[in-house]
Amino acid sequence: ATLPHDSLVAVEVLRKQYPKSPSAGAYPAVFVSQVYSLVRSRTTVDRELDQAAKDKRIRMLRVPGHPTDGFLLAMTDYLAAIDAARLSYLRAGAAGSSRKGGAPPARG
């Protein structure tokens, strides 16, 4: 068995510091800059996180206004959030179709 990379261990340590609350729509996210603070080499972090993203173990998302930082979600959390959003959208559509004329609820 292979040992996890330092960067992924750092991600897990940081994830465990934040409670997971899917019912509130909150999943533990970790900023790349936080991982940099725990692992000595930024190059190593970048390489290991890029590989983990290619392996579909994490999802890296960019933060608007912060071109040099992004945040990471475990792929399982990312997929759960997408499913929750999809279900919410479908429920809103079903609720809207029961209204007169079948129009979805107005947004705004």
Side-chain angles (χ1 to χ4, degrees):
T2 60
L3 295 174
H5 295 288
D6 290 346
S7 301
L8 295 180
V9 170
V11 168
E12 284 305 310
V13 166
L14 291 164
R15 284 183 72 236
K16 290 181 190 294
Q17 292 181 9
Y18 302 100
K20 188 176 189 176
S21 181
S23 62
Y27 295 89
V30 173
F31 281 94
V32 175
S33 57
Q34 291 175 298
V35 179
Y36 287 154
S37 72
L38 296 176
V39 179
R40 189 175 299 215
S41 168
R42 285 178 161 230
T43 302
T44 298
V45 169
D46 292 339
R47 184 177 35 235
E48 291 174 356
L49 294 180
D50 285 344
Q51 187 59 49
K54 287 177 187 173
D55 294 343
K56 299 190 185 312
R57 295 168 66 188
I58 60 169
R59 177 72 180 189
M60 291 196 294
L61 302 163
R62 297 290 169 212
V63 179
H66 295 276
T68 60
D69 202 1
F71 67 95
L72 313 166
L73 285 168
M75 186 59 77
T76 53
D77 291 341
Y78 175 75
L79 295 174
I82 296 295
D83 283 343
R86 182 181 57 82
L87 289 174
S88 177
Y89 176 79
L90 292 174
R91 280 192 215 112
S97 67
S98 65
R99 295 178 182 191
K100 183 177 179 181
R107 304 218 186 256

